[in-house]
Amino acid sequence: MSFSTLGDKSERGFLDGQFLIAMPGMQDSNFTRAVVYICAHSSAGAMGFIINRAQQISFTDVLLHLKIMDQADAIMLPVQTRDLPILSGGPVETGRGFVLHSDDFVSESSIPVSDDISLTATLDIIRAICDGRGPARATMLLGYAGWGAGQLELEIANNGWLNCPASDALIFDRTLEGKYERALALLGVSPEMLSSEAGHA
């Protein structure tokens, strides 16, 4: 599924608004110990964002690259703004930026993902964050994770992923270390309990 189909909510899948938590046997290195927030899931496929993988660039770097402000102005931003997390959202369109945020900010391009979370992929939200008009909670991601029709269901059936309802607090938690373990804890599971082998009773 591509990002462009996210706005069509006529068909909701059972994984909409869920976390995917990679199992130890995950073959794809893009998703080793990944926690993925699924934003859209339907018969056409699925798309979401890895929420526990840091990018090597800062929010200030992004502002300078986009020429939204210069170094002198960026230094004057509040620390909370300068420290906005920039995450590696997935292996698709890694040069494209997205902002997951609380629904107290809405622009013409904002797409509701859940009752409380929206997604905006345009510069207006970056400018709003810099001006102090942005959402109460936000995380910026470069790239996203996408699956074709039936692909994700097959990976789950092959013991690649666990899934559970998403936690907004975990999505916006700026502490990335241990986020994988905290996601597993939502299921009452610890990493030591997981086996890389599929269990067939």
Side-chain angles (χ1 to χ4, degrees):
M1 176 181 284
S2 68
F3 168 74
S4 59
T5 58
L6 178 60
D8 178 14
K9 283 294 190 181
S10 57
E11 182 188 358
R12 291 184 68 88
F14 72 94
L15 292 171
D16 270 353
Q18 295 262 319
F19 279 154
L20 294 180
I21 307 167
M23 289 288 283
M26 171 60 67
Q27 299 297 312
D28 188 339
S29 60
N30 286 311
F31 297 108
T32 303
R33 289 177 60 84
V35 180
V36 180
Y37 175 53
I38 295 295
C39 294
H41 173 232
S42 71
S43 58
M47 71 87 61
F49 297 96
I50 299 171
I51 61 161
N52 66 327
R53 193 159 293 166
Q55 270 284 353
Q56 296 308 307
I57 62 172
S58 68
F59 187 56
T60 300
D61 294 332
V62 171
L63 298 178
L64 298 177
H65 175 74
L66 296 174
K67 298 181 169 54
I68 289 177
M69 58 177 55
D70 59 26
Q71 186 79 43
D73 290 332
I75 289 171
M76 300 306 291
L77 288 171
V79 172
Q80 184 76 357
T81 301
R82 285 204 313 269
D83 288 347
L84 182 81
I86 311 291
L87 305 182
S88 178
V92 184
E93 292 192 57
T94 54
R96 188 172 179 185
F98 306 86
V99 180
L100 275 175
H101 57 90
S102 49
D103 63 358
D104 52 345
F105 175 89
V106 179
S107 74
E108 288 183 4
S109 61
S110 296
I111 300 169
V113 175
S114 71
D115 292 342
D116 306 308
I117 296 178
S118 295
L119 178 69
T120 303
T122 49
L123 290 180
D124 49 352
I125 190 168
I126 304 294
R127 293 192 179 98
I129 289 169
C130 292
D131 295 343
R133 301 178 290 107
R137 299 191 293 176
T139 295
M140 186 173 183
L141 308 109
L142 298 181
Y144 66 91
W147 292 264
Q151 184 183 356
L152 183 53
E153 290 86 341
L154 183 62
E155 290 180 14
I156 292 172
N158 288 333
N159 206 41
W161 301 97
L162 293 171
N163 64 284
C164 68
S167 154
D168 292 4
L170 202 58
I171 291 169
F172 297 114
D173 188 339
R174 295 187 175 200
T175 304
L176 298 185
E177 189 171 341
K179 195 175 270 195
Y180 179 76
E181 288 78 8
R182 294 197 299 281
L184 284 174
L186 296 172
L187 287 166
V189 173
S190 68
E192 297 76 31
M193 296 164 66
L194 298 179
S195 166
S196 59
E197 300 297 319
H200 299 288

